[in-house]
Amino acid sequence: MSQISVIIPTYNRGETIKESAKSVLDQTFKDLELIIVDDASSDDTESVVKSIGDERIIYNKLPENKGAAGARNEGVKLAKGKFIAFHDSDDIWIPDKLEKQIAFIETHPEYDMVYGKVRIHSDKGSFEFPNDAVEGDFEGELYPWLLKRNTIDTPTMFIRKDAFEETGGFDGTLRCLEDWEFALRFSKSHKIGFLDEVLLDSYKSEDGVSRNKAAYYETRCKMIAIHKESMISLGIFDEVVMDVFSRAEKSEILPQVQKLLMTYLKT
């Protein structure tokens, strides 16, 4: 049985999946299994994965598209490792990512998840996140902080499998921000550690879900409604709402977002 189960959800990423998988298989920590969940791709993803020829790979093609959250959950069902790590099919891990994270979590038993920094590359340049411009709590009991802002990128998550299962996995009904929503639920009952190092390079594609403004604001308003009472008790409800409204105003969709939030708050 492998110590770590790495899960890659992929959809029509035949041109990038091989390099992404290689950055997992070439890790300095070798005791792992790599579960590639093909989310009903229509390109050559299957043949590319099968050409890699590593016995640690478990390939599972879904009969219908479930989205990234659903695909990750399917991968966890197959996982046999004590720890779970998530990777994306167009990202590249640094070679000793897993070695650093398992060493950290095994020497910090109070944490059930550890995450780190990501170096993000886009058409606007490259930057690290989180960085010095982000002021907040990066580790410990993060629920109050995560109600306001998310600093945990899915491919940097390294989680005890039993804690992941206790939390209930990712919400497959969400169109985006499923990582933030999961981190919120997880942080309500589990402490999270932070490794202050860049763990991967992330390449943002033009068709990324994060660029879908409608999906972003729909999910954000839903999250505010779900966690409303906690935000009120912590005295941050107005702050969070105004931040969302400010972003919506810059996108010139403030009236629509205001109406959407009121709808969710009434349900």
Side-chain angles (χ1 to χ4, degrees):
M1 181 182 296
S2 301
Q3 273 268 71
I4 303 172
S5 296
V6 180
I7 297 160
I8 301 181
T10 186
Y11 176 69
N12 288 344
R13 286 288 187 269
E15 76 280 5
T16 61
I17 186 63
K18 189 170 185 176
E19 187 175 2
S20 176
K22 190 173 185 296
S23 78
V24 175
L25 299 170
D26 289 347
Q27 286 286 298
T28 55
F29 187 90
K30 301 297 184 182
D31 187 14
L32 61 87
E33 61 179 2
L34 173 56
I35 303 170
I36 298 177
V37 183
D38 186 339
D39 200 14
S41 295
S42 58
D43 67 352
D44 62 344
T45 293
E46 182 172 0
S47 60
V48 171
V49 171
K50 291 183 176 179
S51 72
I52 298 174
D54 192 301
E55 62 182 12
R56 292 173 293 172
I57 293 178
I58 298 170
Y59 175 76
N60 181 36
K61 185 167 186 177
L62 303 180
E64 59 183 26
N65 188 277
K66 290 194 172 187
R72 291 188 183 106
N73 289 339
E74 290 298 317
V76 174
K77 291 178 183 178
L78 300 174
K80 295 181 174 62
K82 178 181 178 182
F83 301 100
I84 300 290
F86 298 101
H87 193 25
D88 283 345
S89 55
D90 50 2
D91 292 343
I92 303 297
W93 281 355
I94 64 167
D96 56 351
K97 172 188 182 290
L98 293 180
E99 182 178 350
K100 288 180 176 180
Q101 288 189 293
I102 196 170
F104 182 96
I105 205 166
E106 287 187 333
T107 54
H108 294 81
E110 70 272 26
Y111 297 131
D112 290 320
M113 178 199 299
V114 58
Y115 72 104
K117 293 183 176 180
V118 54
R119 185 182 296 112
I120 299 172
H121 305 272
S122 70
D123 53 3
K124 296 180 180 180
S126 302
F127 62 95
E128 295 179 8
F129 186 81
N131 51 44
D132 293 340
V134 180
E135 296 181 358
D137 300 320
F138 289 165
E139 68 178 9
E141 296 179 355
L142 291 187
Y143 181 65
W145 163 248
L146 290 172
L147 285 169
K148 296 190 291 184
R149 184 170 186 179
N150 183 34
T151 51
I152 305 176
D153 200 14
T154 314
T156 72
M157 291 180 176
F158 188 88
I159 312 172
R160 299 185 196 277
K161 185 186 177 187
D162 56 357
F164 177 89
E165 293 174 330
E166 288 170 8
T167 305
F170 294 97
D171 185 343
T173 68
L174 299 181
R175 297 165 62 196
C176 69
L177 302 183
E178 68 277 1
D179 53 350
W180 189 353
E181 192 280 333
F182 170 78
L184 264 174
R185 280 187 287 116
F186 189 91
S187 65
K188 289 187 77 172
S189 54
H190 300 280
K191 290 183 179 181
I192 299 173
F194 176 64
L195 190 58
D196 191 11
E197 298 183 39
V198 172
L199 300 178
L200 66 101
D201 288 282
S202 177
Y203 299 87
K204 299 302 181 183
S205 59
E206 289 297 324
D207 61 345
V209 172
S210 60
R211 295 177 181 268
N212 189 330
K213 292 181 181 178
Y216 172 86
Y217 285 108
E218 179 182 358
T219 304
R220 195 73 184 95
C221 289
K222 183 177 180 180
M223 289 165 61
I224 290 173
I226 291 172
H227 298 276
K228 175 185 174 181
E229 297 305 321
S230 294
M231 292 181 184
I232 291 175
S233 67
L234 291 167
I236 61 172
F237 179 76
D238 291 343
E239 177 186 350
V240 173
V241 170
M242 291 309 299
D243 176 67
V244 172
F245 284 173
S246 176
R247 294 171 186 267
E249 186 174 25
K250 292 178 182 177
S251 299
E252 300 181 341
I253 55 172
L254 178 57
Q256 297 95 313
V257 173
Q258 289 175 323
K259 182 178 180 180
L260 183 62
L261 179 57
M262 289 304 299
T263 299
Y264 274 115
L265 289 175
K266 291 178 181 178
T267 58

